[in-house]
Amino acid sequence: MPIDLSGQPRVGLGHWPTPLEDCPRLTEALGGPRILVKRDDVNGLGVGGNKLRKAEFLLGKALAEGADTVITFGAVQTNHGRQIAAACARLGLRCELVLTRSVPMSGEAYERSGNIALDGLYGAHVHVCDTPEQAGEVYDKVVAAARADGRKTATFPVGGSNGVGVLGYVAAVDELHTQLDGTKVNRIVVAVGSAGTAAGLAVGIALLDWPVVLDGQCISHTAGESLADIRRLAGEVSDVLGTPVGDLAHVQVGDGAVGPGYGVPTAEMWEALRLFARTEGITLDPVYSGKAAAAVVAGVRSGAIGADETVVFLHTGGLPGLFAYAPELVRSSENQP
Ligand SMILES: *Cc1c(COP(=O)(O)O)cnc(C)c1O
């Protein structure tokens, strides 16, 4: 079935299609699978990243409903918040970011550089909270203040993951499928956080009846939790579309690359980051794409990913986050050649 999203409110924010790059030196270094990298890290606005696809639909709906103030949530180094801040700047909307210190990282780089520095640069109002309870209280105050000012708010969930935001990745499947122009692909690998990206891909693949495995790699939750999130969001987007989405049997979820937890670097992640950088000049991020790449490296080594496969690796962005981890990056390279 063709994917028709023309009835959904949408505001153009990014450059589409994003590039799809063959990576022969990476493929050679891995000793096998052909790797194509889908560069959603270079889609333009606000340093780029996967949240821009969701933002086109989330902000399209918010504008259609007359909102002038956007409120959203995340960790201190949220890429989603940074991209929403940039999009709000572009659209002339007020942006309120309610952030929670949820990652066991501290220091000047983590707390002041990277995404949070850009949030302020794009003019967002940033509220940093210590606990989820405090974030809830701050949210209530921000909503009350907007109401007192006569402003109309739109609230987006963590990661922009709801039935509307997920449409961005349903659309992305159509874009990728067209771009591949008949090239056979065995698997699409993507990092899974709030799961909206994977859910959109899963639904888009189902709608196209595309025989490809969606290989989701968890960066925060267990595989079971993430699969449940993907199913819930697939249900939400199918309600928005008014189309059933089937059983999602083509979705696999792994949690072997998470390590000690969300936002906590692992040696395998740094190794994968270096591999992509040194073979292809591609910069991954330490929280999401780096761990998904570590899972690819592990999969090739274990044989779970066959040497004859063609793999699309979705680069979801996150570059500013790398600078938040600059001291750890330097430390991780001290014993490297
Ligand atoms: C948010 C994010 C992801 C995960 O996307 P979800 O839709 O939240 O699962 C992956 N990579 C980067 C760089 C992100 O910022």
Side-chain angles (χ1 to χ4, degrees):
M1 188 193 314
I3 297 177
D4 179 12
L5 302 180
S6 58
Q8 307 294 333
R10 181 174 187 174
V11 55
L13 295 170
H15 298 294
W16 320 115
T18 55
L20 180 67
E21 294 178 344
D22 222 329
C23 294
R25 282 179 33 80
L26 175 59
T27 293
E28 194 189 332
L30 287 170
R34 179 179 177 200
I35 311 279
L36 301 168
V37 177
K38 176 66 171 162
R39 300 292 306 268
D40 276 10
D41 58 319
V42 290
N43 49 12
L45 189 66
V47 194
N50 63 334
K51 303 312 184 301
L52 212 51
R53 289 193 190 267
K54 303 182 192 178
E56 290 199 340
F57 289 93
L58 290 166
L59 285 162
K61 181 162 185 275
L63 287 174
E65 292 170 352
D68 54 18
T69 299
V70 170
I71 313 171
T72 194
F73 310 94
V76 170
Q77 287 294 336
T78 171
N79 296 302
H80 161 69
R82 178 252 309 164
Q83 287 165 89
I84 292 293
C88 285
R90 162 72 86 60
L91 298 171
L93 303 172
R94 181 178 169 117
C95 181
E96 302 275 0
L97 298 180
V98 181
L99 311 185
T100 307
R101 290 196 175 88
S102 54
V103 173
M105 291 282 300
S106 56
E108 190 76 7
Y110 190 83
E111 290 185 50
R112 295 195 185 278
S113 179
N115 286 295
I116 196 161
L118 293 174
D119 297 342
L121 184 64
Y122 298 139
H125 299 253
V126 179
H127 313 265
V128 180
C129 306
D130 286 319
T131 62
E133 294 70 37
Q134 201 186 335
E137 289 162 20
V138 168
Y139 173 72
D140 291 342
K141 280 190 196 143
V142 168
V143 170
R147 194 169 298 144
D149 274 6
R151 286 184 275 116
K152 184 162 167 41
T153 59
T155 298
F156 302 155
V158 169
S161 288
N162 61 19
V164 173
V166 167
L167 290 170
Y169 272 91
V170 178
V173 172
D174 215 18
E175 176 184 308
L176 174 63
H177 191 261
T178 302
Q179 205 168 26
L180 282 163
D181 193 26
T183 301
K184 192 175 158 14
V185 170
N186 304 90
R187 96 178 46 227
I188 300 173
V189 179
V190 65
V192 182
S194 64
T197 303
L201 294 171
V203 170
I205 290 166
L207 291 176
L208 287 187
D209 233 340
W210 183 3
V212 65
V213 169
L214 179 67
D215 182 346
Q217 289 297 331
C218 303
I219 54 75
S220 48
H221 302 296
T222 65
E225 290 164 346
S226 290
L227 191 57
D229 287 341
I230 291 169
R231 288 191 191 287
R232 172 178 52 80
L233 289 164
E236 288 185 22
V237 78
S238 87
D239 288 347
V240 172
L241 290 170
T243 314
V245 295
D247 63 0
L248 306 184
H250 56 290
V251 179
Q252 290 176 6
V253 180
D255 55 14
V258 181
Y262 175 67
V264 182
T266 62
E268 293 78 10
M269 178 278 293
W270 291 124
E271 184 198 339
L273 218 85
R274 255 180 218 101
L275 178 66
F276 276 60
R278 293 178 182 193
T279 56
E280 302 289 349
I282 290 175
T283 323
L284 302 177
D285 83 286
V287 179
Y288 298 94
S289 55
K291 284 187 177 173
V296 170
V297 173
V300 171
R301 286 186 184 151
S302 74
I305 300 177
D308 55 351
E309 286 193 27
T310 297
V311 176
V312 170
F313 181 85
L314 179 64
H315 191 337
T316 43
L319 176 64
L322 181 58
F323 296 99
Y325 287 80
E328 286 71 25
L329 170 65
V330 171
R331 224 171 293 136
S332 78
S333 60
E334 275 162 7
N335 300 318
Q336 297 291 319

